[in-house]
């Protein structure tokens, strides 16, 4: 799973240990330990072991494994939609 901290909440994007359902997103409220309905939608392609973070207040998800190959693309969230915005020079998975 890929976690991004947003204030007191975690955005979980893609990833699933058993290899299924690699595109869904959900938000967990850390303070109340509950799921929050999100408007983040599915990420454009399957991503396991990707790296996430924030560019200012914008979530970004880079690299990862799609079940067939390690990826070099990055997606950011804009207007509640994920868009490919960057491409790394090296394919990466499970990096820090």
């Amino acid at each position: 799973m890929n976690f991004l901290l947003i204030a007191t909440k975690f955005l979980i994007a893609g990833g699933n240990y058993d290899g299924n359902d690699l595109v869904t997103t959900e938000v967990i409220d850390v303070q109340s330990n509950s799921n929050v309905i999100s408007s983040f939608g599915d990420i454009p392609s399957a991503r396991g072991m990707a790296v996430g973070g924030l560019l200012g207040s914008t979530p970004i998800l880079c690299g990862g494994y799609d079940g067939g190959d390690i990826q070099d693309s990055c997606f950011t969230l804009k207007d509640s939609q994920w868009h490919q915005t960057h491409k790394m020079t090296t394919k990466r998975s499970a990096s820090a």
Side-chain angles (χ1 to χ4, degrees):
M1 290 188 187
N2 310 298
F3 300 94
L4 304 174
L5 181 60
I6 301 175
T8 60
K9 298 175 176 64
F10 280 100
L11 167 63
I12 303 171
N16 189 325
Y17 185 73
D18 67 7
N20 296 316
D21 202 15
L22 295 173
V23 297
T24 59
T25 63
E26 65 179 302
V27 176
I28 304 294
D29 186 323
V30 178
Q31 290 180 335
S32 68
N33 196 26
S34 64
N35 287 359
V36 176
I37 303 299
S38 76
S39 60
F40 295 120
D42 289 351
I43 55 178
S45 62
R47 296 295 164 113
M49 299 181 286
V51 174
L54 292 174
L55 294 176
S57 60
T58 303
I60 185 169
L61 186 69
C62 292
Y65 182 72
D66 69 0
D69 194 18
I70 295 173
Q71 300 297 306
D72 58 2
S73 55
C74 296
F75 296 95
T76 57
L77 187 67
K78 181 179 179 185
D79 300 324
S80 298
Q81 295 286 322
W82 291 95
H83 302 275
Q84 182 177 337
T85 54
H86 302 83
K87 194 164 196 162
M88 299 181 291
T89 56
T90 303
K91 294 179 178 184
R92 299 176 189 276
S93 179
S95 53

